[in-house]
Amino acid sequence: MLTNDKNIYYTLRIAAAMCFIGHGAFGIITKEIWCNYFGVFGIGHAMAYKLMPWLGSFDILCGLSLLLYPTWAIVGWLVIWGAITAFLRPMSGEPFAEFIERAGNFGAPLILLILYNRSGDNVSWFAKIDPVKEYNSDNLGMAVKCLKVIVFLLIIGHGWLNLIEKKGLIGQYSSLGFSNPALTAQIVGIFEALLAASILIKPIRPAVLALLIWKMGTELFYPHWELFEWIERGGSYGAILALWFALPRFSLNLKNKLITT
């Protein structure tokens, strides 16, 4: 297992943990908007506030277990739970962009499943992932393609939210001192749409690194609970950084294949 492979593994593992620890923190503090998501299942506000801390605590435990003792069961669950919680947003009446903008939430653990797949039927779902023995280099090409799609989705989703002038983003630009926050949102939306297209068509390392800096920087401007919001976006940062690590190795493998053929 080469250095870049280890970097991808630890990046995705830490990123997925960040996402679910940050998400769980909002359950602990009973984030009001979560009531809308419980409402999709017919659960009222009073019961939602009782359930939030329990679900939040479970999210945090899953994130911590991924840091301390990562198992296939936890990684698989995080893929499912990340997709469900993201999809509850459009199900509760929010724009569909809110779902695709959170592609990193379920995308980071998904890439772990692709690259470090179970090596035999006798491997328990509750066994600790061994990144050396279970690394599947044949799946690197598939992982890079998936990472490109994941990064494309999370960036185009955020750009879409800018173009439709999401209230929270408009508030950010106003707090930062922009005199015309609506125009700022349109400019940022177009810029992010172009960035997303470049990632999907032909990602290059400098552009991916710049995108990582952009994403990590822009997520610092939430007006409330900034630290939790930033941590929850760990899946987004991890997917971008994993793509940055994977690109050189993938290009080299592709070049070697061309030479041998």
Side-chain angles (χ1 to χ4, degrees), residues 9-211:
Y9 169 73
Y10 286 108
T11 293
L12 294 173
R13 180 176 160 188
I14 294 171
M18 287 175 60
C19 174
F20 289 95
I21 290 172
H23 190 262
F26 283 120
I28 298 294
I29 64 177
T30 60
K31 191 174 183 180
E32 183 179 359
I33 197 172
W34 277 29
C35 292
N36 297 342
Y37 313 142
F38 281 95
V40 174
F41 302 101
I43 299 174
H45 279 51
M47 181 58 68
Y49 278 114
K50 291 180 180 179
L51 292 175
M52 282 184 210
W54 291 99
L55 288 176
S57 299
F58 182 70
D59 273 355
I60 292 174
L61 287 175
C62 287
L64 290 176
S65 72
L66 194 54
L67 288 177
L68 302 174
Y69 194 87
T71 63
W72 295 112
I74 290 297
V75 174
W77 169 246
L78 294 184
V79 175
I80 297 170
W81 184 238
I84 290 173
T85 54
F87 196 63
L88 283 176
R89 292 178 175 272
M91 288 288 290
S92 66
E94 296 179 23
F96 188 73
E98 294 283 2
F99 167 72
I100 63 174
E101 196 258 342
R102 287 167 173 78
N105 292 14
F106 50 87
L110 176 62
I111 300 302
L112 280 175
L113 288 180
I114 293 173
L115 278 179
Y116 305 92
N117 55 5
R118 299 171 69 212
S119 56
D121 294 336
N122 60 336
V123 178
S124 169
W125 276 98
F126 295 96
K128 186 177 181 180
I129 299 174
D130 188 328
V132 177
K133 293 181 180 179
E134 294 168 333
Y135 174 69
N136 191 334
S137 59
D138 293 336
N139 288 348
L140 182 59
M142 181 189 301
V144 172
K145 291 178 182 177
C146 290
L147 280 170
K148 286 169 61 176
V149 173
I150 291 166
V151 174
F152 167 77
L153 289 174
L154 65 92
I155 298 301
I156 198 69
H158 196 263
W160 184 354
L161 291 173
N162 271 285
L163 290 173
I164 62 176
E165 299 178 12
K166 179 182 175 180
K167 183 179 179 180
L169 294 174
I170 296 297
Q172 286 184 26
Y173 302 139
S174 296
S175 66
L176 289 172
F178 288 97
S179 59
N180 191 337
L183 177 61
T184 302
Q186 294 296 313
I187 293 172
V188 172
I190 293 171
F191 173 68
E192 290 186 327
L194 293 174
L195 273 179
S198 71
I199 293 297
L200 192 62
I201 297 169
K202 188 176 177 60
I204 57 175
R205 293 195 81 204
V208 174
L209 182 60
L211 178 58

